[in-house]
Amino acid sequence: QSALTQPASVSESPGQSITISCAGTSSDVGDYNYVSWYQHHPGNAPKLMIYDVSKRPSGVSTRFSGSKSGNTASLTISGLQAEDEADYYCCSYAGSSTWVFGGGTKLTVL
Amino acid sequence: EVQLVQSGAEVKKPGESLKISCKGSGYRFTTSWIGWARQMPGKGLEWMGIIYPGDSDTRYSPSFQGQVTISADKSISTAYLQWTSLQASDTAIYYCARRKPVPGGADYYMDLWGKGTTVTVS
């Protein structure tokens, strides 16, 4: 199992939109509609933002959305706010009760 | 309150053993898988493995098979991650997380996380 591939960092101005990609393989992202995204502020517990590719848990802002095409999943954050600045991780089910994470993307809101 | 509470930071020497814990509360611990993830300094999360406390069914990432042991004591709603001989490369923050339980089974994402246990081996 190799880690999913995410950009190391992205940055954008408040109010703008940004998309973070998550590239996997046909054994994980491409094989299952079980991609989840987590927001992580260092020192805190990671927070679930998206599950099953595009579903939002109760309480998560509608500014967060997810999608998938082939072996690549994406997280889009619209109307960026300062509080969105964090590390974001994608995660995919890979079969047999195993999962694989992406390397993480540091989002900077300029 | 539904939560996972992890044990405190540890500082160990190479070759020592260690067992860190993750206690669940506010939900039915025995019917919810608990997973572990590692975050090495300056790096991303890595999936280590997962356990079903009800029957201790355990699955490991190939990268961590044989390197750590995941266990659980359902009587005290606690999962564990342990090492028999630590190395400097085990220095990391370790997170536990609950696989979302659903009636009759489990979903395919982690809905609840602990705040992490920092392990320093030096």
Side-chain angles (χ1 to χ4, degrees):
Chain A
Q1 285 178 334
S2 297
L4 307 176
T5 300
Q6 297 181 234
S9 64
V10 294
S11 59
E12 188 52 270
S13 302
Q16 300 302 304
S17 296
I18 200 156
T19 297
I20 299 172
S21 61
C22 170
T25 70
S26 57
S27 297
D28 38 62
V29 175
D31 200 20
Y32 301 96
N33 287 321
Y34 297 135
V35 176
S36 50
W37 289 88
Y38 302 90
Q39 178 189 66
H40 188 210
H41 291 103
N44 293 334
K47 177 185 177 183
L48 176 68
M49 306 303 285
I50 295 287
Y51 67 96
D52 292 354
V53 175
S54 60
K55 299 178 182 176
R56 262 188 319 276
S58 174
V60 171
S61 171
T62 56
R63 299 185 297 105
F64 291 83
S65 61
S67 63
K68 189 187 90 166
S69 177
N71 296 339
T72 300
S74 298
L75 172 72
T76 297
I77 310 172
S78 60
L80 278 169
Q81 301 178 2
E83 68 204 48
D84 299 331
E85 188 163 292
D87 298 324
Y88 289 85
Y89 293 92
C90 61
C91 182
S92 175
Y93 184 64
S96 302
S97 291
T98 65
W99 281 258
V100 59
F101 283 104
T105 298
K106 181 178 180 62
L107 169 62
T108 301
V109 180
L110 300 170
Chain B
E1 179 185 3
V2 178
Q3 60 181 347
L4 293 173
V5 178
Q6 297 190 233
S7 50
E10 302 274 1
V11 179
K12 299 294 231 181
K13 296 185 185 305
E16 292 186 331
S17 62
L18 176 65
K19 193 174 190 178
I20 62 175
S21 66
C22 169
K23 183 175 176 62
S25 61
Y27 70 97
R28 187 180 242 181
F29 185 79
T30 53
T31 57
S32 299
W33 293 80
I34 294 289
W36 288 92
R38 178 177 79 176
Q39 184 177 32
M40 298 177 73
K43 302 297 184 180
L45 295 171
E46 298 172 88
W47 182 258
M48 300 179 73
I50 196 167
I51 187 167
Y52 187 75
D55 61 7
S56 292
D57 182 7
T58 307
R59 315 291 174 87
Y60 292 93
S61 162
S63 299
F64 291 93
Q65 178 83 49
Q67 308 304 308
V68 297
T69 300
I70 295 171
S71 61
D73 185 341
K74 60 185 179 182
S75 70
I76 54 172
S77 300
T78 300
Y80 301 97
L81 179 65
Q82 70 179 81
W83 297 258
T84 56
S85 181
L86 286 161
Q87 303 175 30
S89 57
D90 294 315
T91 294
I93 302 174
Y94 294 88
Y95 294 94
C96 63
R98 182 184 76 168
R99 181 180 178 184
K100 170 71 173 179
V102 295
D107 221 318
Y108 294 89
Y109 59 93
M110 311 304 142
D111 70 328
L112 178 69
W113 291 72
K115 291 188 174 182
T117 294
T118 299
V119 174
T120 303
V121 184
S122 177

